[in-house]
């Protein structure tokens, strides 16, 4: 099992460019998540999905869009990149846990994005 | 506002010393987790606590969930350089479907 994989690992964009980050998981998990991690801020949830074809906004959704067309894939899109979106992006997947929430999340290795 | 507050944010100690990291909130959580993250990698789950007052041990690491399920602590005994990393607490609020993370504690153990 590869677990959770993310592509690309690094990317540099110019302001206004667009790109898509791909997350794939081979654990048949229902839940998938996109986070961004900035110094001193911990992990902040951008968008998440509780099943194929469903998505929902997290804590910091502005400037991002997502799609979950297949259960194993969760795509994060930036339509018009801004310097404030410079960050490390992590994808995670998990199973439905206690009280409806996820019990354990498995994280990918991250994508380091720089927007100039 | 941070739903989960971790303290301290940075901690640098000598090998062999003991330390405690705290994770506090005014909210009640149905479960609380501790993750460890190394540079260039994603967080890896260490433990999940679900019952108020619960104590779990993982070798030299002891995790405790507060009686009211609003806080947690991580205690490391006889710290080693291999314990160096970013420690994150994360919780699922009652009725929620997603985790909220603390800002992390960056721990450095000096040989």
């Amino acid at each position: 099992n590869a677990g959770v994989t993310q592509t690309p690992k690094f990317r540099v964009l110019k302001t206004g460019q667009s790109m898509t980050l791909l997350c794939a998981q081979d654990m048949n998990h229902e839940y998938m998540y996109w986070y961004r991690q900035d110094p001193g801020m911990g992990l902040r949830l951008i968008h998440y999905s509780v099943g194929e074809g469903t998505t929902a906004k997290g804590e910091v959704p502005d400037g991002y869009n997502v799609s979950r067309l297949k259960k194993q894939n969760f795509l994060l899109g930036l339509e018009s990149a801004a310097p404030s979106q410079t960050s490390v992006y992590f994808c995670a997947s998990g199973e439905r846990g206690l009280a409806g929430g996820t019990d354990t999340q498995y994280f990918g290795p991250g994508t380091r994005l720089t927007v100039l | 506002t941070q739903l989960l507050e971790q303290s301290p944010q940075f901690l640098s100690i000598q090998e062999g010393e003991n330390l405690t990291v705290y994770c506090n909130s005014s909210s009640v959580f149905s479960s609380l987790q501790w993750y460890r993250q190394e540079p260039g990698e994603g967080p890896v789950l260490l433990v999940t606590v679900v019952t108020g007052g619960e104590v779990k041990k993982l070798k030299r690491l002891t995790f405790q969930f507060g009686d009211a399920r609003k806080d947690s602590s991580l205690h490391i005994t006889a710290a080693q350089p291999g314990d160096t990393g970013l420690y994150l607490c994360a919780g699922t609020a009652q009725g929620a479907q997603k985790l909220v993370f603390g800002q992390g504690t960056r721990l450095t153990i000096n040989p």
Side-chain angles (χ1 to χ4, degrees), chain A residues 31 33 35 37 40-43 45 48 50 57-59 90 96 98-105 107-110 112, chain B residues 1-2 9 30-31 33 35 37 40-45 48 50 86 88 92 95-104:
Chain A
Y31 293 9
Y33 307 81
Y35 294 91
Q37 186 174 37
M41 302 290 289
L43 285 153
L45 183 64
Y48 65 102
V50 298
K57 293 181 180 180
E59 182 185 357
F90 287 99
R96 180 185 176 90
L98 300 173
T102 184
D103 201 22
T104 301
Q105 291 193 11
F107 285 82
R112 188 173 294 275
Chain B
T1 57
Q2 195 78 25
Q9 288 194 40
S30 57
S31 69
Q33 302 175 347
Y35 289 80
Q37 184 179 16
E41 299 181 7
V44 175
L45 181 69
T48 301
V50 298
L86 179 67
L88 295 158
T92 302
Q97 291 178 317
K98 49 193 184 295
L99 284 176
V100 290
F101 281 82
Q103 72 269 55

Side-chain angles (χ1 to χ4, degrees), chain A residues 3-4 8 16 20 22 26 28 43 58 60-61 64 71 75 79 81 90:
Chain A
V4 179
T20 300
L22 172 64
D26 60 2
N28 202 36
L43 285 153
V60 289
Y64 305 95
K71 187 178 183 180
L75 278 63
E79 290 186 350
F90 287 99

